[in-house]
Amino acid sequence: MDGGFCTVKELDWSAGRLAPTPTGRLHLGHALTFFTAHQRARQTGGSLFLRIEDLDRQRCRRHFVREAVDDLKWLGLDWDGAPVFQSERKRLYLEAWQRLRDGGFIYPCVRSRREVSVLAPHSDEAVFPISWRASVEDALLYESPAGVNWRFRVPEGRVVVFKDQHFGHIQKTALEDFGDFLVWNRDDIPAYELSVVVDDLEMGITEVVRGADLLTSTARQILLYEALGGQAPAWFHSPLVCDSLGQRLAKRSGGLALRDLRAKGMSPAQVLELAAANVLNSG
Ligand code: GLU
């Protein structure tokens, strides 16, 4: 589906998702993203699923799941069927890992995340140096992914182009904007990029709505769709929301957690107005 004009046939199968990670409380940015996802799915008569991204057991908390569900309902959002928990879907991720390994797309990597991040201490993510690459043949020595990090070997200089329904034409270049990225962590947790692509494919998601902080991830994920032989969905990245100091809301909610705003007596409509008034208008 490419925005604008939708045929009746397309309306029959469109599906979106809400995908909170229960490592913290939902904030104003989540409210805007999830409200947009809900509106876009329901306006086209599509389905909407709730997927809890709880793979990182060290950092995820059950009470954040309960609070997220409660916050979403308070915002007036609904979804179809029971929530899907990523922690219950490891078999699917393992199948994808095997396919990527057999296809020569990934390799076992002995470098730690810390070794990579010190290369560019002031950016969100350093580009993994190609001189640190292992050979994809090494991958075939492994029967299971546990015990070592696994990275996707990005095609050198490949320009990934996609049309975002909000930001328009987006272009990211492999080895400039992003490097070989993690698909599996050595503590045996599937990485975000892989789990999301596997789930979006398996759940039949036709439009992904998420925050603009994930625009580069989308380029990585498009490479994973290609490697797995799947059709990528349409993309809508919603603008990021900032706090009163102009800092974008991320892990820290800067006092703009939905729970706090609710406690102050704000209504869902007021919360959404506040979010819209504080968007940062750049990718
Ligand atoms: N779980 C991610 C988050 O809470 C969103 C991932 C996605 O929508 O692809 O930011």
Side-chain angles (χ1 to χ4, degrees):
M1 204 164 68
D2 203 20
F5 181 75
C6 301
T7 65
V8 172
K9 190 156 174 280
E10 282 171 332
L11 295 183
D12 284 346
W13 55 260
S14 76
R17 76 327 189 255
L18 310 171
T21 302
T23 50
R25 303 193 297 172
L26 297 190
H27 56 59
L28 215 47
H30 296 114
L32 184 63
T33 299
F34 293 143
F35 180 80
T36 306
H38 185 269
Q39 202 183 31
R40 291 181 66 85
R42 297 308 194 206
Q43 271 175 358
T44 54
S47 310
L48 187 70
F49 302 108
L50 175 61
R51 184 172 76 224
I52 307 293
E53 306 212 316
D54 60 345
L55 283 172
D56 186 346
R57 282 172 188 246
Q58 299 281 352
R59 295 174 55 237
C60 294
R61 299 282 176 270
R62 288 205 76 75
H63 71 94
F64 287 136
V65 177
R66 284 194 296 273
E67 289 181 12
V69 167
D70 182 60
D71 285 344
L72 292 171
K73 287 185 176 163
W74 176 77
L75 279 172
L77 310 187
D78 64 348
W79 48 88
D80 299 298
V84 169
F85 288 84
Q86 287 192 321
S87 56
E88 295 168 5
R89 295 162 67 83
K90 199 160 170 196
R91 188 183 52 79
L92 290 171
Y93 311 133
L94 266 175
E95 279 171 21
W97 172 82
Q98 253 158 10
R99 283 173 59 188
L100 294 173
R101 182 203 59 182
D102 295 349
F105 292 104
I106 56 175
Y107 60 87
C109 171
V110 292
R111 302 283 176 169
S112 68
R113 294 175 83 159
R114 180 173 305 188
E115 276 177 280
V116 182
S117 63
V118 294
L119 295 175
H122 303 299
S123 85
D124 275 354
E125 195 190 310
V127 173
F128 185 83
I130 48 173
S131 57
W132 288 4
R133 276 177 171 169
S135 115
V136 288
E137 280 82 52
D138 291 355
L140 298 170
L141 303 172
Y142 288 76
E143 280 306 309
S144 80
V148 65
N149 286 321
W150 287 81
R151 288 185 182 270
F152 185 94
R153 188 186 170 96
V154 299
E156 282 170 51
R158 163 74 194 274
V159 181
V160 181
V161 174
F162 60 95
K163 182 181 167 208
D164 185 71
Q165 309 290 313
H166 179 79
F167 288 97
H169 176 90
I170 303 287
Q171 186 169 314
K172 302 277 178 189
T173 305
L175 298 183
E176 280 177 27
D177 297 310
F178 63 96
D180 291 358
F181 56 88
L182 284 174
V183 292
W184 208 281
N185 293 299
R186 70 171 164 206
D187 41 6
D188 204 18
I189 300 176
Y192 160 72
E193 311 290 6
L194 180 66
S195 57
V196 162
V197 168
V198 168
D199 285 336
D200 286 337
L201 273 171
E202 196 276 334
M203 293 165 76
I205 301 301
T206 57
E207 185 182 75
V208 164
V209 178
R210 60 184 172 208
D213 52 331
L214 292 168
L215 278 164
T216 306
S217 274
T218 295
R220 297 184 190 103
Q221 291 176 21
I222 287 171
L223 296 178
L224 278 175
Y225 279 98
E226 289 175 7
L228 292 168
Q231 161 91 44
W235 311 99
F236 184 106
H237 290 81
S238 60
L240 300 176
V241 173
C242 39
D243 63 17
S244 55
L245 301 172
Q247 299 291 318
R248 87 170 165 84
L249 301 179
K251 296 280 179 282
R252 277 166 297 132
S253 56
L256 295 172
L258 297 185
R259 309 243 117 200
D260 296 337
L261 301 173
R262 284 170 69 171
K264 284 185 192 152
M266 285 181 78
S267 68
Q270 287 170 325
V271 162
L272 290 164
E273 259 172 49
L274 185 63
N278 284 285
V279 299
L280 191 73
N281 257 320
S282 71

